[in-house]
Amino acid sequence: MSNEEIRILINTGKERKMKKLIQIESTCVPVNIENIDTDQIIPARFLKATDRKGFGDNLFRDWRYDKEGNPKPGFPLNNPKYKGQILVAGKNFGSGSSREHAAWAVADAGFRVVVSSFFADIFRNYYWCRFRKANYPYG
């Protein structure tokens, strides 16, 4: 995948009202892995907090860091060439156990958009109902 700058228009309107669009210009961060479940997005050992802040540091923790806490150089979030607000993931993003912390981790890491060919209901519901509405209350 190219790391070229792209534009994505996000429909944040309601069905019965005129639809508003937000334009985001950003590079993409590719995580080309299918079936990313909520345990991989934010491991259970980091779920002690109830505040929505601070989860981004542990997004994909077990893939991003080794057991000593050192960044794994092959993981895209550790590569300085991949910085942006758009996370591009493989099919079936956010499956697994019900964990709103997964949506919080994605948002807290600075991602405003997640692109996948399929979202698990659990992640989609938490992401759209909580994160998106909190950040785009007019949508």
Side-chain angles (χ1 to χ4, degrees), residues 16 21 26 33 35 41 94-95 98 100 105 109-110 112-113 123 137-138:
R16 296 187 181 160
L21 296 177
S26 176
I33 300 170
N35 302 312
I41 295 170
S95 60
S98 178
E100 63 187 319
R112 308 247 337 255
V113 177
F123 181 83
Y138 53 80

Side-chain angles (χ1 to χ4, degrees), residues 119-139:
F119 291 93
D121 289 342
I122 288 170
F123 181 83
R124 186 186 66 231
N125 291 340
Y126 278 126
Y127 185 76
W128 288 107
C129 293
R130 288 171 178 79
F131 171 69
R132 297 285 300 160
K133 287 185 180 181
N135 288 289
Y136 302 104
Y138 53 80

Side-chain angles (χ1 to χ4, degrees), residues 49-74:
T50 55
D51 185 16
R52 296 179 185 196
K53 303 291 180 195
F55 289 102
D57 293 337
N58 295 308
L59 179 69
F60 303 123
R61 178 67 187 211
D62 295 335
W63 293 343
R64 285 173 70 184
Y65 302 99
D66 64 21
K67 293 185 190 270
E68 289 78 37
N70 300 310
K72 294 179 181 178

Side-chain angles (χ1 to χ4, degrees), residues 3-55:
N3 196 26
E4 297 175 16
E5 191 166 276
I6 64 170
R7 290 184 178 175
I8 294 183
L9 299 178
I10 303 167
N11 177 354
T12 59
K14 294 182 180 175
E15 279 187 31
R16 296 187 181 160
K17 293 185 177 183
M18 181 177 281
K19 298 177 190 257
K20 295 183 180 187
L21 296 177
I22 294 174
Q23 180 173 311
I24 295 176
E25 293 186 31
S26 176
T27 54
C28 295
V29 179
V31 179
N32 193 19
I33 300 170
E34 291 189 1
N35 302 312
I36 297 176
D37 66 39
T38 56
D39 294 319
Q40 294 158 330
I41 295 170
I42 183 76
R45 66 187 179 277
F46 299 108
L47 303 182
K48 296 179 173 104
T50 55
D51 185 16
R52 296 179 185 196
K53 303 291 180 195
F55 289 102

